Amino acid sequence: MKVRVKENEKITETTITIEYFQYNEDIEKIVNTLSHLHQTLTCKKDKSLYQIYVKDIYYIEVVDDKTFVYIQNEYYETQYKLYELERLLRDNHFIRISKSCLLNLHYLKSVKVYIYGKYEATLINNEKLIISRKYMPEFKRAFQL
């Protein structure tokens, strides 16, 4: 596969063209990734609404029946249910790691064995999340362990 990037000062909007011999899984992943780059999620914090880029979300967690979206050092609340976000973000490298948490694999730094068959995920901001046993097989497939 060849990748060409070319600057053109005459255009006003970036356009990406993908040429392929045969459509396959790799092409599909590239198209999905590109199409989700500017996807946003409406969230609220301190009585204000925000559009948070999905690509900036480290993880999403439900606490006391409220859904929170965590970015680098901040968090916001969203009205979505976790199962809705799981379906919505399926192609954005999000994976369920527990009954109440979705993790963005792009921000995963490391994983280590925790206790009783659970694992501990450390994110690039050094925050730690628990991966429950029930979701470990799917996590291993997604993370290619």
Side-chain angles (χ1 to χ4, degrees):
M1 179 184 308
K2 295 180 184 179
V3 176
R4 294 186 201 124
V5 180
K6 179 178 160 184
E7 183 177 358
N8 184 346
E9 296 174 358
K10 297 176 185 176
I11 63 171
T12 58
E13 183 179 16
T14 300
T15 302
I16 298 174
T17 304
I18 300 172
E19 294 180 8
Y20 56 87
F21 174 72
Q22 184 176 11
Y23 196 82
N24 59 34
E25 195 174 303
D26 290 338
I27 301 299
E28 186 173 351
K29 285 179 184 178
I30 292 167
V31 170
N32 285 337
T33 299
L34 291 172
S35 64
H36 293 24
L37 275 179
H38 295 291
Q39 184 179 6
T40 60
L41 195 61
T42 303
C43 299
K44 67 180 178 178
K45 184 175 187 175
D46 301 326
K47 298 182 182 177
S48 296
L49 293 176
Y50 297 89
Q51 289 295 319
I52 305 298
Y53 283 111
V54 168
K55 65 181 178 60
D56 294 334
I57 299 172
Y58 282 49
Y59 67 98
I60 301 166
E61 184 176 40
V62 175
V63 178
D64 295 331
D65 292 326
K66 293 182 180 180
T67 306
F68 295 97
V69 171
Y70 295 82
I71 60 173
Q72 186 174 7
N73 295 315
E74 297 182 76
Y75 67 92
Y76 301 85
E77 186 177 348
T78 185
Q79 296 301 312
Y80 286 99
K81 301 290 184 196
L82 197 62
Y83 73 89
E84 294 172 321
L85 290 168
E86 183 177 22
R87 191 172 53 241
L88 182 70
L89 302 174
R90 172 182 356 197
D91 296 327
N92 284 304
H93 305 283
F94 280 83
I95 186 165
R96 188 180 286 251
I97 61 169
S98 70
K99 185 178 177 182
S100 61
C101 189
L102 295 175
L103 169 67
N104 185 342
L105 290 173
H106 284 284
Y107 294 105
L108 181 63
K109 181 179 178 181
S110 65
V111 177
K112 71 176 185 177
V113 177
Y114 193 54
I115 54 172
Y116 304 115
K118 294 181 181 181
Y119 287 73
E120 182 180 74
T122 303
L123 307 183
I124 62 171
N125 64 351
N126 290 320
E127 187 145 358
K128 296 182 184 326
L129 302 171
I130 300 301
I131 305 169
S132 70
R133 262 186 315 219
K134 178 180 178 182
Y135 296 96
M136 199 59 202
E138 184 181 344
F139 176 82
K140 285 180 176 181
R141 278 193 301 276
F143 199 54
Q144 299 173 345
L145 290 177

